Amino acid sequence: MAEMETIGLETDLSLFKYDNLEQLPPSYRDLGEDERTDRIETALDQLSEDVLILGHNYQRREIVEHADFIGDSYALSKRAAEADASNIVFCGVTFMAESADIITDDDQTVLLPSMEASCPMAGMAEALQVDAAWAELTAAAPDEEIIPITYMNSYADLKAFCAEQGGLVCTSSNAHRAFEWALDRGDKVLFLPDKHLGENTAHRIDLEDSTAEWDPWDPEGKDPEAVADSEVILWDGYCQVHERFRADHVENVRGDHPGASVVVHPECRREVVEAADVVGSTSTICATIEEAEAGETWAIGTEIHLANHLERWHPEIEVLPLCGDACMDCNAMRQVDPNYLTWVLEGLTEGTERNVVEVAPQEKELARVALDRMLEV
Ligand code: 13P
Ligand code: SF4
């Protein structure tokens, strides 16, 4: 079993939202795979229709093989919204489980096997910090309306803030539609927290010459004049897993594998997206490989577990991680260890709900508005 890693400072910030963090008891720490699989299956048989397991595409093999549904963050939130099960075990990261809690009925419980699964990028735009920046941004363009859009990879309080200011949520699969929705209603978009997805989306809707970056950590990185002159303001957040990819990785893979195609996630830098053949959410990446012809070669520019799943699921395709051994796994997603899944499921069979994600009612109502707007665009 992979050792649990110590979480970093950025992740700690977001953990303060959940004081119900429970650590795995010692008796669950060294379960062998066979025993664990048996115990998970026994618990699932017992729980039957009372539990639904949702798994993000970046979860490891030992998790996705137990999931009722595997998908990208948009598909998972839609599936959560349609679910009848009283317990939804969300194998993903904190912000995804929060969104599931917001969207599901009050009598449904959302459990996240490990509360340490916090996306560092979501922690790069804390609602309090955005609220402070909002005063500076609105002062920079006093006669214009700024509509905030937050990427799904953000916490419920920021989603609530966006709703309150007339904005919405988006995922990587509908960011362009969210931008169009916002620009129909206002003059500018403030996009949080991922500057790369924001820049790639601005290109997609032909606004690449009208962007300004806003770095909340650097006084030099805030330019009110640039804000006044631009239609898209990009908060300076990023995903370290996707920032790792460079344009020369695309060149190298094409040189080493003539005829290879490249598919990347839009959290990658602009130059990587420009060099790729296909860009899209993790579901688009899956669909691209599903639709490929046998014998084709595809390099995958996203989190390593998904590249590994695609290689396993499609032996007829040559699937390569875009930067080979340098491709990263997501430390946040990795916190959902299968031993935690066993512990949470066995808890449910005994009537104990462990690691419940519950958004505060005042945030929930507003965040739901922002999520509903997304589901409608
Ligand atoms: P998707 O919405 O494409 O699944 O991406 C979520 C994510 O966290 C990518 O890093
Ligand atoms: Fe967050 Fe990046 Fe992990 Fe996605 S891959 S959950 S953006 S850290």
Side-chain angles (χ1 to χ4, degrees), residues 1-4 24 28-31 36 60 337-339:
M1 185 193 95
E3 267 186 36
M4 301 294 281
L24 193 68
Y28 280 85
R29 286 192 194 150
D30 296 316
L31 297 178
R36 187 173 58 213
R60 58 179 100 181
D337 182 279
N339 291 342

Short mmCIF file of all heavy atoms in Angstrom, two decimals, residues 1-4 24 28-31 36 60 337-339:
data_model
loop_
_atom_site.label_atom_id
_atom_site.label_comp_id
_atom_site.label_asym_id
_atom_site.label_seq_id
_atom_site.Cartn_x
_atom_site.Cartn_y
_atom_site.Cartn_z
N MET A 1 0.84 -1.21 0.00
CA MET A 1 0.00 0.00 0.00
C MET A 1 0.88 1.26 0.00
O MET A 1 1.88 1.32 0.70
CB MET A 1 -0.85 -0.02 1.28
CG MET A 1 -1.84 1.08 1.38
SD MET A 1 -2.50 1.19 3.06
CE MET A 1 -1.44 2.42 3.76
N ALA A 2 0.49 2.25 -0.80
CA ALA A 2 1.26 3.50 -0.82
C ALA A 2 1.14 4.19 0.53
O ALA A 2 0.10 4.15 1.16
CB ALA A 2 0.71 4.42 -1.91
N GLU A 3 2.25 4.78 0.97
CA GLU A 3 2.20 5.48 2.26
C GLU A 3 1.42 6.78 2.15
O GLU A 3 1.47 7.45 1.13
CB GLU A 3 3.61 5.81 2.70
CG GLU A 3 4.15 4.72 3.59
CD GLU A 3 5.48 5.08 4.15
OE1 GLU A 3 5.70 6.26 4.44
OE2 GLU A 3 6.28 4.16 4.30
N MET A 4 0.68 7.14 3.20
CA MET A 4 -0.05 8.40 3.18
C MET A 4 0.96 9.54 3.30
O MET A 4 1.88 9.47 4.10
CB MET A 4 -1.00 8.48 4.38
CG MET A 4 -2.01 7.36 4.42
SD MET A 4 -3.14 7.46 3.07
CE MET A 4 -4.21 8.74 3.68
N LEU A 24 -7.65 7.22 10.05
CA LEU A 24 -7.92 5.78 9.88
C LEU A 24 -7.43 5.00 11.11
O LEU A 24 -6.27 5.14 11.52
CB LEU A 24 -7.17 5.31 8.64
CG LEU A 24 -7.51 3.95 8.09
CD1 LEU A 24 -8.92 3.94 7.52
CD2 LEU A 24 -6.52 3.55 7.02
N TYR A 28 -7.15 -0.79 10.30
CA TYR A 28 -7.46 -0.70 8.87
C TYR A 28 -6.23 -0.36 8.03
O TYR A 28 -6.31 -0.31 6.81
CB TYR A 28 -8.52 0.38 8.62
CG TYR A 28 -9.93 -0.07 8.91
CD1 TYR A 28 -10.45 -0.01 10.19
CD2 TYR A 28 -10.75 -0.56 7.89
CE1 TYR A 28 -11.74 -0.42 10.47
CE2 TYR A 28 -12.05 -0.97 8.14
CZ TYR A 28 -12.53 -0.89 9.44
OH TYR A 28 -13.82 -1.30 9.70
N ARG A 29 -5.10 -0.11 8.69
CA ARG A 29 -3.98 0.47 7.92
C ARG A 29 -3.27 -0.52 7.02
O ARG A 29 -2.74 -0.13 6.00
CB ARG A 29 -2.98 1.13 8.88
CG ARG A 29 -3.57 2.43 9.38
CD ARG A 29 -2.61 3.31 10.10
NE ARG A 29 -3.39 4.33 10.80
CZ ARG A 29 -3.04 4.91 11.91
NH1 ARG A 29 -1.89 4.60 12.48
NH2 ARG A 29 -3.82 5.80 12.47
N ASP A 30 -3.23 -1.79 7.41
CA ASP A 30 -2.42 -2.74 6.62
C ASP A 30 -3.26 -3.83 5.97
O ASP A 30 -2.80 -4.97 5.83
CB ASP A 30 -1.34 -3.37 7.53
CG ASP A 30 -0.37 -2.32 8.02
OD1 ASP A 30 0.04 -1.49 7.19
OD2 ASP A 30 -0.05 -2.30 9.23
N LEU A 31 -4.47 -3.50 5.57
CA LEU A 31 -5.30 -4.54 4.94
C LEU A 31 -4.69 -4.95 3.61
O LEU A 31 -4.27 -4.10 2.82
CB LEU A 31 -6.71 -4.00 4.68
CG LEU A 31 -7.56 -3.59 5.89
CD1 LEU A 31 -8.90 -3.04 5.42
CD2 LEU A 31 -7.76 -4.78 6.82
N ARG A 36 -9.37 -6.72 1.68
CA ARG A 36 -10.07 -5.44 1.57
C ARG A 36 -11.20 -5.53 0.53
O ARG A 36 -12.32 -5.10 0.78
CB ARG A 36 -9.05 -4.39 1.14
CG ARG A 36 -9.56 -2.99 1.14
CD ARG A 36 -8.43 -2.05 0.88
NE ARG A 36 -7.77 -2.32 -0.38
CZ ARG A 36 -6.47 -2.13 -0.60
NH1 ARG A 36 -5.69 -1.69 0.33
NH2 ARG A 36 -5.95 -2.40 -1.78
N ARG A 60 -7.54 6.13 -7.92
CA ARG A 60 -6.73 4.96 -8.27
C ARG A 60 -7.61 3.75 -8.62
O ARG A 60 -8.80 3.71 -8.29
CB ARG A 60 -5.77 4.64 -7.14
CG ARG A 60 -6.46 4.37 -5.85
CD ARG A 60 -5.48 4.04 -4.78
NE ARG A 60 -5.20 5.19 -3.93
CZ ARG A 60 -4.33 5.14 -2.92
NH1 ARG A 60 -3.67 4.05 -2.67
NH2 ARG A 60 -4.14 6.19 -2.17
N ASP A 337 -7.72 6.63 0.07
CA ASP A 337 -7.07 5.34 0.09
C ASP A 337 -8.17 4.26 0.18
O ASP A 337 -9.18 4.48 0.84
CB ASP A 337 -6.20 5.36 1.36
CG ASP A 337 -5.40 4.11 1.52
OD1 ASP A 337 -5.98 3.12 2.01
OD2 ASP A 337 -4.22 4.11 1.16
N PRO A 338 -7.98 3.10 -0.47
CA PRO A 338 -9.04 2.07 -0.39
C PRO A 338 -9.30 1.57 1.03
O PRO A 338 -10.40 1.08 1.32
CB PRO A 338 -8.54 0.95 -1.30
CG PRO A 338 -7.16 1.30 -1.68
CD PRO A 338 -6.90 2.73 -1.38
N ASN A 339 -8.29 1.69 1.91
CA ASN A 339 -8.55 1.29 3.30
C ASN A 339 -9.56 2.24 3.94
O ASN A 339 -10.39 1.81 4.75
CB ASN A 339 -7.25 1.28 4.11
CG ASN A 339 -6.33 0.16 3.66
OD1 ASN A 339 -6.77 -0.78 3.00
ND2 ASN A 339 -5.06 0.26 4.00
#
